[in-house]
């Protein structure tokens, strides 16, 4: 799953996100979702989330 639909993402899921500072390079950061920050049902660049360690970025991959 690519992380563009809010309904696919729940707190506690392990995901790969791209941080704001990594948008150009595309480096991914893996972590566990704490909060969903995007309110709309979908977003073309990925749903914005906060990880349990406090980092914020857009979901690129979901690990089930």
């Amino acid at each position: 799953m690519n992380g563009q639909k809010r309904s696919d993402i729940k707190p506690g899921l392990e995901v790969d996100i791209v941080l704001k500072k990594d948008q150009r390079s595309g480096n991914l950061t893996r972590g566990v979702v704490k909060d969903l920050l995007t309110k709309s049902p979908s977003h073309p660049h990925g749903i914005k989330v906060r990880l349990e360690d406090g980092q914020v970025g857009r979901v690129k991959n979901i690990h089930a």
Side-chain angles (χ1 to χ4, degrees), residues 20-58:
K20 186 79 171 172
K21 69 181 177 70
D22 292 332
Q23 282 178 346
R24 287 186 185 275
S25 67
N27 286 344
L28 296 178
T29 302
R30 186 168 292 188
V32 177
V33 176
K34 180 179 180 186
D35 302 309
L36 281 73
L37 303 177
T38 299
K39 297 297 183 210
S40 63
S42 66
H43 192 284
H45 299 145
I47 298 299
K48 190 178 279 188
V49 298
R50 179 180 295 115
L51 299 181
E52 288 184 340
D53 64 5
Q55 297 185 96
V56 173
R58 294 196 181 275

Side-chain angles (χ1 to χ4, degrees), residues 2-34:
N2 62 10
Q4 293 181 350
K5 285 179 28 190
R6 193 174 194 275
S7 60
D8 291 342
I9 302 167
K10 304 273 185 281
L13 276 181
E14 187 177 27
V15 295
D16 291 333
I17 65 169
V18 63
L19 302 172
K20 186 79 171 172
K21 69 181 177 70
D22 292 332
Q23 282 178 346
R24 287 186 185 275
S25 67
N27 286 344
L28 296 178
T29 302
R30 186 168 292 188
V32 177
V33 176
K34 180 179 180 186

